[in-house]
Amino acid sequence: DFQVVDTVHYSQGHIYHTYMGLEPRLSASYLLDSTSSLKASYSRTRQYLQLASNSVGGSPLDVWFPASSYVKPQISDQVGVGYFRNFKENTYEFSVEGFYKYMRNQIDFKDNANLILNNQIETELRFGKAHSYGLEFLIRKNSGKFNGWISYTLSKALRDFPEINKGEEYVASYDHPNNLAIVAS
């Protein structure tokens, strides 16, 4: 269990810890012909302000944490590969894209965390990793009096924390295996 053994006080305006890092992004596309292409991408992102929540829908008990000497920034690496095609002189477009995202320094609360009026909430945090993957499909009509798109995403999001769920991987609260969107104008 995480126990407080000492405290340190810093003077106002004193910088006691910093993080920084590169966030590279790469993308490539290969034209198969005048209407279709293959695309691939990679990106790394860092998040210095993090949300720890003990509910799926959000609640007043959600807690925002800045990166600190105790809470590292979250880092994610994402790769994507897709096929894109235009039809009828770019009136319609279709795409299918697969993705994989690996995240580390994720935060969550320990099992049965005490959150209410807890001045040392960091003792309730646990740290782990997560990953998500899926396929995204899109059909879009770009011109004419009626346009819009239909998109569907099939995905999975999992978390792995040694001190939560007996060390077994579990489904993330933000996991939405099926997502359908229809937009028309």
Side-chain angles (χ1 to χ4, degrees):
D1 214 16
F2 295 19
Q3 298 292 323
V4 176
V5 294
D6 195 6
T7 58
V8 177
H9 296 278
Y10 296 96
S11 60
Q12 184 175 356
H14 179 81
I15 297 173
Y16 70 96
H17 199 80
T18 61
Y19 288 103
M20 61 186 212
L22 298 175
E23 293 187 339
R25 288 164 174 73
L26 304 168
S27 66
S29 62
Y30 178 76
L31 295 176
L32 298 171
D33 57 38
S34 63
T35 61
S36 59
S37 63
L38 296 174
K39 297 181 181 179
S41 64
Y42 164 80
S43 69
R44 167 169 282 182
T45 57
R46 297 171 189 270
Q47 186 168 324
Y48 299 97
L49 185 61
Q50 304 163 38
L51 174 66
S53 178
N54 69 339
S55 69
V56 174
S59 78
L61 299 178
D62 290 351
V63 180
W64 287 93
F65 290 92
S68 68
S69 56
Y70 302 108
V71 180
K72 295 179 182 176
Q74 295 181 55
I75 300 172
S76 72
D77 292 295
Q78 182 168 327
V79 294
V81 176
Y83 172 75
F84 299 80
R85 177 156 181 130
N86 292 321
F87 299 93
K88 292 195 174 191
E89 298 177 355
N90 298 328
T91 300
Y92 298 95
E93 64 183 65
F94 167 79
S95 66
V96 60
E97 188 169 9
F99 67 90
Y100 180 82
K101 185 175 189 178
Y102 175 74
M103 299 159 273
R104 59 185 190 264
N105 301 335
Q106 300 288 287
I107 61 171
D108 206 338
F109 291 114
K110 73 176 187 178
D111 293 334
N112 305 309
N114 176 20
L115 305 178
I116 298 174
L117 301 174
N118 186 342
N119 291 333
Q120 298 166 332
I121 198 121
E122 292 86 355
T123 63
E124 306 293 323
L125 292 177
R126 297 301 178 260
F127 304 94
K129 57 189 175 187
H131 63 105
S132 61
Y133 53 90
L135 284 173
E136 299 175 335
F137 300 88
L138 174 71
I139 298 172
R140 180 190 313 256
K141 184 174 186 276
N142 293 315
S143 60
K145 290 185 178 183
F146 180 78
N147 57 54
W149 68 84
I150 298 172
S151 67
Y152 172 72
T153 303
L154 175 66
S155 64
K156 191 72 176 166
L158 300 165
R159 293 171 70 87
D160 186 5
F161 286 62
E163 298 175 87
I164 297 176
N165 196 38
K166 299 177 184 173
E168 298 291 322
E169 189 172 63
Y170 59 97
V171 176
S173 63
Y174 49 83
D175 178 58
H176 300 288
N178 296 284
N179 188 2
L180 176 67
I182 301 172
V183 175
S185 61

